[in-house]
Amino acid sequence: MAKEQKKIFDVSLFKRLLSYIKPYRGIFVLSLICVVGLAVFGAARPYVLKEAIDVNIKTRFLEGFMFYMILMVGLLVLEVVCQLLFIYYASWLGQSVVKDIRVKLFKHMLKFKMTYYDKSSVGVLITRAVTDMERIADIFGQGLFMIFSDILKMAVVAGFMLYINVQISLIVFVTLPLIVVATKIFQRYMKRAFEDVRTEVSNLNSFVQERVTGMKILQLFTREKTEYKNFIKINERHKNGWLKTVWYNSIFFPIAEFLSSLTMAAILLIGGYDIMSQVPNTTVGDLISFTMFIPMLFRPLNQIANKFNTLQMGMVAADRVFKVLDTESQISDNGKLTADNFEGNINLENVRFSYVKGEEVLKGINLEIKSGETIAIVGATGAGKSTIINLLNRFYEIDSGKIEIDGTDIRQFTLESLREQIAVVLQDVFLFADTILSNITLNHPEITEEDVVNAAKAIGIHDFISSLPNGYHYNVKERGVMLSSGQRQLISFLRAYMTNPSILILDEATSSVDSYSEQLMQDATEKITQGRTSIIIAHRLATIQKADKIIVMDDGKIVEIGNHQSLLERENGYYRNLYEVQFLNAEAV
């Protein structure tokens, strides 16, 4: 971190950012032309005024005076046109570049392993994809081109000043190093301040996003006052971060303005005495033009610091975004085979896996599932049941061993085709803030509303959906809050059924729902598991008694395999103990 702070401007990062301009070279060149026009036309006006004063006004010579006036108006119009084009196209370029980076970032994030999301804050990722992107856009609209424009204008103005009067110019240039030094110090401190600001913005976004999402938990456990106090602390740090930048600005800009005014007074004093001397080297036109040149020279220098702030904020944001883009957390998608339709034979051979290195979750799993079988996996929380499902879908990579479908290693299939053949119904169903129809089809262009209705009728949930306002076009709002957990599960069942998968997985899909919804789901389960390999993970053993085979897991290992009846016949068996705890106690109640 210390090394990053010492580096005021990261050239390699800047070059990488500029590489995104390549598709928009024409607009980039046009913006540069407008920048050159702004510098030349703006600096030429004081010179034209000087000539008008010295040649016409001072001598009361009218011939040619109107030409100077028309020329000044023409230069002003050209400057305005350049300013208009520059502002529009520089901003257009910035937004276009950001659009491309944001698309690339989102595409990159879509391919991350689940491990990345397990360890990352949603609020921070949202900040990278939204807020930081706007800061990057400012680099082009308010930072990069404006700095170049200001530097070019200063160079052109300095050239005009030296051409007009070297003596007065040297007086002006004496104070320039002071402002340059002050600007450099200012930039260094502002770089650190903006890094702190971006960190606090991310923290604030993350905090608010998590608390809004978990508001029900906060209110259920009456944590409103505690979280309010925590928010005040985080918001205070956010405020202090911004105030630090305000403090540096409040010091720098008054100093710069003071030096500018001091320089103006010096040239008026020295130039005035020179004009009143017997052999003057300075004209009235020189003095008046210099009173216009000094703001043109000093104000850009002052504004460069401000524009550099914008550039620094954009660079800090770009650095954070590129770090996400450079994160290598993708599942390798090197498979060449397309999984068109599986028979459904699944084989796990000595599979070992750990979420955290050195802490194995699966400890040498060997499992064979035949095509068309309905198997159930049971066991205590943390036994590794859901982990098997995650590995089958390649959300994570196994540490060692092999997983095969129909005799082929799943790594030889393309990720897309593999996952298209495996449908999963999760316990915690995620629904988007959209209609039921959109949540079922996920906007798949080949699935029609008629297809969805027919499928809903086939598995027995059409009446439930039709009973809702607007039926299939009912908007479930964010995360499906307008539906009960059982209703969300039914939607998830239909969503899985619509994909016509070769392999169906139900991960705790019938837990924590009312008896009516459970009956609907059990009926739906019987229908959608017919003719395909199905894996059911459940705590409630009543839902799996009809399974062809039950896999009992404990501490990352398979401890028992058999059907419901054969497992119950084992004395002191793990499954039998689970059954007795759930059913015998229930009967006693």
Side-chain angles (χ1 to χ4, degrees):
M1 185 66 178
K3 290 182 179 179
E4 288 181 6
Q5 289 180 345
K6 289 179 182 178
K7 188 186 288 187
I8 296 177
F9 190 80
D10 191 331
V11 177
S12 61
L13 177 65
F14 189 64
K15 286 181 178 178
R16 182 176 180 181
L17 193 59
L18 289 182
S19 67
Y20 286 90
I21 293 179
K22 289 180 181 179
Y24 312 104
R25 290 189 187 94
I27 299 299
F28 180 73
V29 171
L30 178 60
S31 299
L32 288 180
I33 292 173
C34 291
V35 165
V36 174
L38 281 172
V40 174
F41 299 141
R45 284 189 294 110
Y47 178 77
V48 173
L49 180 61
K50 166 206 161 8
E51 291 297 307
I53 291 172
D54 290 340
V55 175
N56 297 103
I57 296 177
K58 185 179 177 181
T59 60
R60 298 184 181 182
F61 182 65
L62 290 178
E63 188 177 345
F65 178 70
M66 187 56 65
F67 168 75
Y68 286 124
M69 295 301 99
I70 294 173
L71 183 58
M72 282 194 67
V73 172
L75 290 171
L76 182 60
V77 170
L78 288 172
E79 187 178 3
V80 169
V81 170
C82 286
Q83 185 80 9
L84 187 151
L85 293 175
F86 166 72
I87 291 173
Y88 177 78
Y89 284 111
S91 298
W92 185 93
L93 180 64
Q95 290 300 326
S96 298
V97 167
V98 162
K99 178 204 69 175
D100 293 344
I101 298 176
R102 186 183 282 122
V103 168
K104 186 176 181 179
L105 177 66
F106 188 71
K107 183 179 180 181
H108 190 66
M109 289 167 60
L110 285 173
K111 296 181 180 180
F112 277 153
K113 298 178 184 177
M114 289 300 107
T115 305
Y116 181 85
Y117 293 105
D118 293 341
K119 299 177 180 178
S120 301
S121 165
V122 174
V124 170
L125 291 176
I126 290 173
T127 300
R128 298 293 172 269
V130 181
T131 310
D132 283 344
M133 288 297 179
E134 292 307 315
R135 299 289 77 78
I136 294 175
D138 290 341
I139 290 178
F140 300 95
Q142 303 174 30
L144 172 65
F145 286 117
M146 292 301 293
I147 290 174
F148 180 67
S149 173
D150 289 343
I151 291 174
L152 185 61
K153 181 177 288 187
M154 288 168 59
V156 174
V157 165
F160 271 107
M161 291 170 69
L162 287 170
Y163 177 76
I164 292 171
N165 192 307
V166 175
Q167 180 181 347
I168 300 179
S169 297
L170 292 177
I171 297 171
V172 176
F173 296 158
V174 166
T175 55
L176 282 180
L178 297 175
I179 295 182
V180 171
V181 170
T183 301
K184 197 166 185 178
I185 295 172
F186 177 66
Q187 290 168 356
R188 184 181 298 113
Y189 281 96
M190 287 301 289
K191 172 72 159 54
R192 298 174 185 173
F194 281 130
E195 285 176 344
D196 292 341
V197 166
R198 298 313 308 155
T199 298
E200 294 305 329
V201 167
S202 295
N203 291 340
L204 185 62
N205 285 347
S206 180
F207 182 90
V208 172
Q209 187 271 334
E210 288 181 350
R211 270 60 185 181
V212 170
T213 302
M215 188 59 69
K216 182 182 290 186
I217 299 299
L218 297 184
Q219 293 183 356
L220 279 172
F221 289 91
T222 63
R223 304 298 293 171
E224 296 95 331
K225 290 182 179 179
T226 301
E227 294 304 324
Y228 174 70
K229 291 177 181 177
N230 290 336
F231 177 78
I232 288 176
K233 292 177 183 177
I234 292 177
N235 201 34
E236 182 70 19
R237 291 202 303 268
H238 178 264
K239 182 198 75 173
N240 290 337
W242 276 109
L243 284 180
K244 191 182 293 184
T245 68
V246 174
W247 169 245
Y248 294 148
N249 279 309
S250 65
I251 294 175
F252 173 76
F253 287 105
I255 291 175
E257 194 64 34
F258 173 75
L259 290 174
S260 175
S261 300
L262 199 63
T263 304
M264 184 80 74
I267 67 161
L268 287 174
L269 179 64
I270 296 172
Y273 272 111
D274 185 53
I275 289 174
M276 291 182 286
S277 65
Q278 291 184 349
V279 186
N281 295 315
T282 306
T283 67
V284 174
D286 291 348
L287 275 186
I288 292 177
S289 65
F290 267 71
T291 59
M292 295 178 67
F293 278 133
I294 287 176
M296 288 185 178
L297 186 67
F298 280 69
R299 191 173 293 122
L301 189 58
N302 298 345
Q303 290 177 347
I304 281 177
N306 199 24
K307 300 300 185 298
F308 197 85
N309 294 345
T310 301
L311 182 61
Q312 289 287 36
M313 287 187 71
M315 292 292 284
V316 170
D319 183 50
R320 294 174 185 272
V321 169
F322 287 146
K323 280 180 180 177
V324 178
L325 279 171
D326 293 338
T327 300
E328 294 296 333
S329 185
Q330 287 86 8
I331 294 290
S332 59
D333 190 9
N334 301 321
K336 304 298 182 183
L337 301 178
T338 300
D340 292 324
N341 189 34
F342 289 137
E343 291 181 14
N345 295 295
I346 303 172
N347 182 54
L348 281 73
E349 184 178 318
N350 197 27
V351 172
R352 294 182 177 274
F353 173 76
S354 53
Y355 292 103
V356 179
K357 192 173 182 179
E359 300 179 14
E360 280 192 336
V361 177
L362 297 184
K363 304 172 182 178
I365 297 295
N366 290 287
L367 176 62
E368 184 179 354
I369 304 171
K370 295 180 180 179
S371 174
E373 276 190 332
T374 296
I375 75 152
I377 305 177
V378 300
T381 300
K385 305 184 299 296
S386 295
T387 300
I388 291 178
I389 306 311
N390 288 330
L391 296 180
L392 193 60
N393 280 281
R394 292 197 67 202
F395 289 137
Y396 302 87
E397 293 282 28
I398 58 177
D399 297 339
S400 63
K402 187 192 299 182
I403 301 178
E404 294 179 334
I405 298 180
D406 295 341
T408 302
D409 192 313
I410 59 173
R411 286 171 289 196
Q412 295 184 29
F413 296 110
T414 62
L415 271 178
E416 183 178 1
S417 67
L418 173 68
R419 291 173 180 171
E420 281 181 345
Q421 294 302 315
I422 303 173
V424 182
V425 180
L426 298 170
Q427 176 184 4
D428 183 19
V429 178
F430 186 92
L431 297 181
F432 296 94
D434 207 333
T435 64
I436 287 179
L437 181 63
S438 294
N439 273 286
I440 292 170
T441 65
L442 295 177
N443 298 313
H444 195 294
E446 296 180 7
I447 302 177
T448 65
E449 183 173 352
E450 184 180 358
D451 294 333
V452 174
V453 172
N454 292 334
K457 289 178 179 178
I459 64 173
I461 65 172
H462 172 71
D463 291 341
F464 141 65
I465 298 176
S466 299
S467 67
L468 297 171
N470 297 323
Y472 289 85
H473 297 278
Y474 179 60
N475 193 310
V476 300
K477 305 301 181 183
E478 188 173 1
R479 298 183 67 87
V481 295
M482 302 304 292
L483 301 177
S484 69
S485 58
Q487 290 172 327
R488 290 197 294 271
Q489 287 285 8
L490 292 171
I491 298 300
S492 182
F493 265 72
L494 184 53
R495 180 161 63 190
Y497 183 64
M498 287 305 305
T499 64
N500 191 28
S502 302
I503 298 170
L504 177 68
I505 298 169
L506 307 179
D507 188 357
E508 306 284 3
T510 59
S511 62
S512 303
V513 297
D514 59 87
S515 56
Y516 173 72
S517 296
E518 182 177 3
Q519 185 59 50
L520 283 178
M521 279 187 272
Q522 287 182 357
D523 294 341
T525 300
E526 289 184 13
K527 291 176 181 177
I528 66 177
T529 55
Q530 290 177 3
R532 56 173 56 91
T533 303
S534 303
I535 302 173
I536 302 173
I537 296 175
H539 281 301
R540 300 170 67 172
L541 304 186
T543 62
I544 59 166
Q545 292 183 21
K546 296 181 181 179
D548 298 315
K549 188 162 53 181
I550 297 174
I551 313 298
V552 185
M553 294 189 66
D554 183 38
D555 192 28
K557 300 177 182 178
I558 296 176
V559 294
E560 293 177 350
I561 298 180
N563 58 33
H564 173 69
Q565 192 59 43
S566 66
L567 291 175
L568 283 181
E569 292 174 358
R570 297 186 184 185
E571 280 195 42
N572 298 319
Y574 194 101
Y575 181 82
R576 179 172 175 173
N577 290 335
L578 286 176
Y579 180 82
E580 289 175 351
V581 168
Q582 286 193 19
F583 287 90
L584 299 184
N585 288 347
E587 290 175 6
V589 173

